[in-house]
Amino acid sequence: MGYEDSSTTRAAAGMRILQEEFTAPRARTADGAPRARAVHAPPPCDLGLLDHLQQSRRELIDTTRVMLAGHPTPQPLPPAPADEGIYQWMVESTAHLDAGRRRAQDAIVYRQGLEHALRAGDTLVIRREACPGCGCWSLMWRQQIQRAVCIQRECRDDIGRASQWELRQLAHHHIANRPQRAAK
């Protein structure tokens, strides 16, 4: 099992957790306290989360199709699964492509794994990433700006602000600095 399998497994597990745990119908409080009567029922789950899951799935399907465009495939592309198996579907469908395209795919999968963890409230996944600017383990997630910020005083941008990194930048940095996959 290669290094990419762990990020694929982590992204799939994150998607499964979001689907199973965070999209479950919200429980009503039974504390007996009086409440104002709602005109409309609240949504059964976080609709933004459902949009996020659908967008993640769509991105994987579209990316796979773009990567396969112009490249002969050994067999027709099977339909994409509707669950977390879509990550394995993407890896298996593009296994015959060159290393550069697979690295781009790995960066998307890794970024989505980070997004799923952050959606579930796990901001510690950012602390496990080295800062692309200084190489230190000093990144903190800032929800307000949707970026990782380096808290090292010496790690500043051109105008003196703390270095900030988007998730896609962290994913590309992570994939570029990991050991290359073994050829199949």
Side-chain angles (χ1 to χ4, degrees), residues 37-129:
R37 215 172 248 280
V39 175
H40 300 285
C45 64
D46 181 3
L47 298 179
L49 177 60
L50 291 177
D51 288 342
H52 165 75
L53 291 170
Q54 187 64 28
Q55 181 181 9
S56 297
R57 186 175 183 279
R58 173 59 42 209
E59 180 184 19
L60 293 174
I61 292 169
D62 291 346
T63 300
T64 301
R65 288 185 177 149
V66 166
M67 286 182 164
L68 293 175
H71 290 83
T73 57
Q75 56 199 11
L77 187 63
D83 59 2
E84 71 274 2
I86 194 164
Y87 289 100
Q88 192 61 34
W89 171 85
M90 181 182 196
V91 169
E92 290 171 0
S93 298
T94 58
H96 65 285
L97 296 178
D98 62 277
R101 288 181 187 267
R102 289 193 319 239
R103 275 193 304 276
Q105 164 196 301
D106 292 346
I108 291 169
V109 170
Y110 194 82
R111 177 186 47 81
Q112 284 194 3
L114 293 174
E115 288 173 353
H116 297 334
L118 290 169
R119 280 282 188 160
D122 181 10
T123 59
L124 292 178
V125 294
I126 301 301
R127 300 283 298 165
R128 295 181 196 116
E129 296 296 322

